[in-house]
Amino acid sequence: MRAIVVGAGIGGLAAAVSLRRAGHEVTLVEQTPRFTELGAGIQLAPNATRELRRLGLLDTVAAQSAYPSHISFRSWSDGLEICRYELGREAEDTFGAPYLQVHRADLQQALAAAVPPASVRLDTVVVGVDQDAKSACVVTGDGEVLDADLVVAADGIRSAVRQWLFGKDAAVFSHTAAFRALLPAAEVADLDLPDTGIWLGPGRHFVHYWVRRRELLNVVAVATADESAAQESWTARAEPGEQLREFEGWSPTVLDVLERAGQVFRYGIYTRTPLARWNTGRITLLGDSAHAMVPFQAQGAAQAILDAAVLGDCLADAAPTDVPEALERYVHRRLTTATGMQARSTRAGAEFHLPDGPEAEARNSRMAAHAAEHRFLPVATEWAVDPLNEPKPEPEPT
C-alpha cells in the first residue's frame, strides 16, 4: 500500500517510520530544502520512548540524550523548593521505558535516518489534496500529482491540509511567549541548579534541563504576552536584555542563567481548537495539525509519536480498500487522549502563573501534599498508557 506523509517534523517522520514498519510504501513530502537544526530541547516521557523502542530507535536517541534524575518545582523569588518528583531509574523501572531529554535536532536526525532518502521529497510544497473512493493524492507547487492510497497530514500548527479538509480556523494565541536558549554546561557549572527545574511565578515560569548528553542546558522562560509582540517563529531573536527585563525580581539563580545566555530566541506560543474528527475518507491529520498544545506538560512531541504508533498499528495488514475504516479506528483510539492532553496542558499553564497570594499558596500546598504521597508527577498517569498493548500498566494512584 502507498502512503504520502506531508511534513517532516517529529510527527511526520515518526509516521513515515511507523508506516514503513507496517509494511507500506511511504513518500515523505517536506517543503524545506533540507533538514535544519531548529528548536532546542524536547522531553520524552516513557509513553514516547516506549514507542521509539518499538520503532527500533530508542538506543540511537538515548545515546544523544540526557537522563534526568528528578524534577524540582521552585518558587520564583527565593528559589525555595515547592516539591520534587523522581525521574531517572525509578521512572524507567515503573513505566518500562526511560524519561529522556533530547535536542530536537538529534531526535529528528534519528527519525530521518530510518527513512530511505529515496522516499523523501524535500523542497516540495503541497498546494492541494484530493481523493476519491479508491485513492488519494497531493498536488505540488510544480503541478505534479502524487497518488497514494492514503495521505497523512503532519504539516504542523499552521496546517494547510486541515483547512482544506475542515475549513478555516486560525491558530489560537495562548497569551504567552517563550524565551529560548542553549547554554554550554561550563557556562553554568558554578550554579546550584536542580537536575530539572521548573520555577513558578506570577504570569511567568522558567524551565531548565540538560540535553545532548548533558553538554547543553536547555532554557525556556515563559511570560504572559500580547499577540502583537509575540511572533510565531523558531528563529526570531529577542532584543538584547529583553529576557532579563521580563524576569526582573526573580531568583538570582534564574537571572544568572538568563544573563549568561548568549543567543536568545523569542516565540509566541499558539494552539489549535480541538476538532471533532481528524479524518475524511483516505486523508487524516496527525500531530500538531490535529492537536497543537501549549508545552506545559512536556507532551507535544510525545502525543505526535503516539499518533504515529497507533496509525501504523491500525494500518498493519490493511489493504487499500481498508483505509477509510482503518483511519476511523486510528482517530477513535487517539482523539480523546490527545484532546484531553491539550486541555491538561492549558490548565497547567494557568496553575504555573498564579499571582502571589492565597491561590499560589494553595497550589504550592497541593503540590507538596501530592509529592509527599507519590513519587511521580500527576501527568505520569499518561506515561503508563500503552495504546498498543492492553491492559496497560498503572503507576501508583494520583
Side-chain angles (χ1 to χ4, degrees):
M1 194 162 65
R2 298 168 301 151
I4 294 173
V5 178
V6 181
I10 302 304
L13 285 165
V17 177
S18 184
L19 289 169
R20 280 179 49 79
R21 287 181 66 85
H24 306 306
E25 177 186 330
V26 180
T27 299
L28 182 62
V29 180
E30 167 59 35
Q31 65 180 347
T32 60
R34 61 186 180 279
F35 294 122
T36 54
E37 190 168 301
L38 292 177
I42 291 179
Q43 301 195 65
L44 295 175
N47 57 344
T49 58
R50 187 182 299 119
E51 303 311 328
L52 291 179
R53 178 186 288 133
R54 286 198 176 106
L55 295 177
L57 299 175
L58 180 57
D59 289 347
T60 301
V61 174
Q64 301 299 319
S65 301
Y67 283 78
S69 63
H70 66 272
I71 183 168
S72 173
F73 286 86
R74 301 203 168 198
S75 176
W76 70 279
S77 57
D78 53 21
L80 291 178
E81 188 170 76
I82 299 168
C83 66
R84 175 178 294 219
Y85 290 102
E86 297 298 326
L87 297 174
R89 177 58 63 183
E90 285 202 54
E92 185 169 0
D93 289 345
T94 299
F95 300 103
Y99 192 108
L100 301 179
Q101 294 165 335
V102 61
H103 194 295
R104 179 181 293 269
D106 295 335
L107 176 58
Q108 184 182 46
Q109 183 177 1
L111 290 164
V115 182
S119 299
V120 181
R121 296 278 302 261
L122 297 173
D123 202 17
T124 302
V125 177
V126 173
V127 297
V129 295
D130 201 1
Q131 63 179 317
D132 57 28
K134 295 183 178 181
S135 66
C137 69
V138 301
V139 182
T140 74
D142 295 331
E144 187 178 5
V145 178
L146 305 177
D147 292 308
D149 297 301
L150 73 148
V151 173
V152 180
D155 52 339
I157 190 169
R158 300 284 181 179
S159 171
V161 178
R162 174 175 169 140
Q163 293 196 35
W164 297 332
L165 292 182
F166 302 113
K168 291 186 177 181
D169 67 325
V172 179
F173 183 53
S174 70
H175 301 288
T176 57
F179 297 94
R180 174 173 58 81
L182 287 167
L183 288 80
E187 293 289 329
V188 293
D190 61 313
L191 300 179
D192 185 22
L193 295 175
D195 196 37
T196 296
I198 302 182
W199 308 62
L200 309 182
R204 289 159 177 75
H205 72 279
F206 177 82
V207 181
H208 61 76
Y209 55 87
W210 301 101
V211 298
R212 198 162 281 171
R213 303 173 301 278
R214 302 180 72 89
E215 296 169 7
L216 295 172
L217 184 73
N218 183 70
V219 173
V220 182
V222 179
T224 303
D226 294 326
E227 187 170 12
S228 60
Q231 181 180 356
E232 186 197 348
S233 170
W234 283 107
T235 58
R237 300 282 187 90
E239 296 294 328
E242 184 180 2
Q243 74 276 13
L244 289 170
R245 294 191 292 273
E246 282 284 357
F247 285 79
E248 184 178 358
W250 277 56
S251 163
T253 302
V254 170
L255 296 178
D256 278 344
V257 174
L258 291 175
E259 187 172 19
R260 297 178 193 189
Q263 192 174 76
V264 180
F265 298 94
R266 185 180 194 271
Y267 64 96
I269 300 174
Y270 285 76
T271 64
R272 295 306 297 256
T273 302
L275 291 169
R277 62 185 298 109
W278 301 344
N279 62 310
T280 297
R282 296 175 173 272
I283 305 172
T284 191
L285 306 179
L286 181 144
D288 280 352
S289 66
H291 50 70
M293 62 191 71
V294 292
F296 305 151
Q297 293 284 275
Q299 277 288 304
Q303 293 298 312
I305 291 169
L306 288 171
D307 287 351
V310 172
L311 179 68
D313 189 53
C314 289
L315 286 160
D317 304 319
T321 54
D322 301 326
V323 168
E325 182 182 351
L327 295 184
E328 287 285 343
R329 292 198 303 272
Y330 152 68
V331 174
H332 178 74
R333 288 168 61 179
R334 286 295 303 143
L335 187 145
T336 299
T337 298
T339 300
M341 187 55 69
Q342 280 184 291
R344 187 170 191 162
S345 298
T346 298
R347 291 195 300 271
E351 284 274 296
F352 288 176
H353 292 183
L354 289 173
D356 281 343
E359 286 184 292
E361 291 169 5
R363 173 203 63 203
N364 293 353
S365 295
R366 288 194 304 271
M367 293 175 67
H370 185 276
E373 294 188 19
H374 305 291
R375 293 175 294 165
F376 305 114
L377 290 156
V379 74
T381 54
E382 298 299 326
W383 303 352
V385 175
D386 182 356
L388 272 62
N389 186 23
E390 301 290 349
K392 54 184 177 289
E394 292 289 348
E396 55 192 282
T398 60

